[in-house]
Amino acid sequence: MDLSVFLEPAALLALAGLIALELVLAVDNLIFITILTSRLPEHQQPLGRKLGLLGAVITRVMLLLSAAWLITLTAPWFTVFDIEISGRDLVLILGGLFLIWKATMEIHERVTPKESDEMEDGPVVAGAPAPQKKYPAFWAIIGQIAVLDIVFSLDSVITAIGLARQIEIMVAAVLISVAIMVALAEPLARFVKKNPNVVMLALSFLVMIGMALVAEGFDVEIPKVMIYGAMAFSVAVELLNMASRRAKLSSTYRAIRDPEGRSEAD
């Protein structure tokens, strides 16, 4: 491996641009892992996130090592309505459909009242055992994460191949993005736990990303700048909403402590 390539300004510029794109895909992958593992029991969530991240790392490294094989996936396999479908296209279409389906099911589960919720709001019978919350099977969640790890990793590595010519640049960009994803895993999980309202926003993003993957699989190119620009704007609006809610809570708290509006100096 020739490390002198990192001394070339053009290569460093390509590395910076590629890291930015890889980080977007890594964050998408991480959001999905965080949302799915949040459905597991509290004590299983850290292990679930670690296994999901490990799968993402292993998949990306294996795909990088088989870059020459990946290029062959861009060759057409069959034609549908005069659209040539390659192996990469097929993976993107199936992965996008799975992402849309899974995110839609998660949204549906969060907006549909559950019988257990209604029971919790009702009268408590003395001596009756508390209803036990049902959790999905641990390995079922890990299996779903593994499917999306493959999709995001394939898109990540093929993006790297398309934007960089040197394998050193590709390896560095993918490994740096993965390292940042690992570092952000626990802080993001804590943020989602403290702010459950952002989960719905994240799930909506995943639906949009799934639609973009399906469109890309059918050779309909949607500029990623538009997709991630809309996501960034939505996040900015939600952050403003969160700041507004905190300000209202703070104002209410002060009003409760000092209902007559007296200052501390008085």
Side-chain angles (χ1 to χ4, degrees):
M1 184 176 289
D2 184 13
L3 298 181
S4 63
V5 68
F6 293 102
L7 300 177
E8 301 175 8
L12 291 177
L13 187 62
L15 177 62
L18 190 52
I19 288 174
L21 288 175
E22 293 293 329
L23 276 178
V24 171
L25 293 171
V27 169
D28 293 340
N29 201 171
L30 183 55
I31 288 173
F32 187 85
I33 291 173
T34 302
I35 290 174
L36 282 186
T37 53
S38 67
R39 300 183 60 212
L40 293 170
E42 190 76 26
H43 67 280
Q44 289 184 343
Q45 291 179 18
L47 177 60
R49 284 192 293 272
K50 289 176 183 177
L51 289 178
L53 289 169
L54 180 62
V57 172
I58 292 175
T59 308
R60 279 166 169 77
V61 171
M62 290 179 63
L63 289 175
L64 269 177
L65 294 177
S66 56
W69 171 76
L70 279 180
I71 295 175
T72 64
L73 285 181
T74 58
W77 283 12
F78 55 89
T79 302
V80 177
F81 299 116
D82 296 328
I83 300 175
E84 294 181 339
I85 303 296
S86 65
R88 172 183 178 270
D89 295 333
L90 192 59
V91 172
L92 291 178
I93 292 169
L94 295 177
L97 290 174
F98 176 80
L99 191 55
I100 293 170
W101 169 76
K102 187 60 188 173
T104 303
M105 294 298 294
E106 291 287 333
I107 291 173
H108 180 267
E109 184 173 340
R110 283 168 170 77
V111 300
T112 304
K114 302 180 181 63
E115 292 183 5
S116 59
D117 294 337
E118 296 172 357
M119 289 174 60
E120 288 174 4
D121 294 336
V124 178
V125 180
Q132 295 292 322
K133 183 177 179 180
K134 293 183 179 179
Y135 293 100
F138 179 80
W139 290 108
I141 294 293
I142 297 302
Q144 294 173 24
I145 292 174
V147 172
L148 264 298
D149 278 344
I150 294 172
V151 175
F152 281 117
S153 298
L154 182 65
D155 200 19
S156 168
V157 174
I158 288 182
T159 298
I161 294 173
L163 293 179
R165 293 286 178 260
Q166 299 95 339
I167 187 65
E168 295 85 359
I169 297 295
M170 289 186 267
V171 171
V174 170
L175 292 183
I176 290 173
S177 67
V178 166
I180 294 175
M181 183 168 66
V182 171
L184 290 178
E186 293 305 318
L188 181 62
R190 289 193 296 269
F191 178 78
V192 168
K193 188 174 181 179
K194 292 180 180 178
N195 303 276
N197 52 302
V198 302
V199 173
M200 195 64 70
L201 183 63
L203 288 171
S204 302
F205 288 165
L206 292 175
V207 173
M208 184 168 62
I209 294 167
M211 293 174 64
L213 289 175
V214 173
E216 188 176 349
F218 284 107
D219 295 333
V220 178
E221 190 67 31
I222 300 177
K224 286 185 169 59
V225 174
M226 292 179 58
I227 296 174
Y228 297 117
M231 290 171 60
F233 180 77
S234 300
V235 169
V237 171
E238 182 58 30
L239 290 175
L240 290 175
N241 283 331
M242 291 169 62
S244 175
R245 285 192 291 270
R246 281 197 299 268
K248 288 180 180 179
L249 286 173
S250 178
S251 177
T252 304
Y253 178 70
R254 286 197 300 268
I256 292 173
R257 289 194 61 184
D258 191 5
E260 297 180 3
R262 294 170 298 180
S263 63
E264 292 182 2
D266 295 338

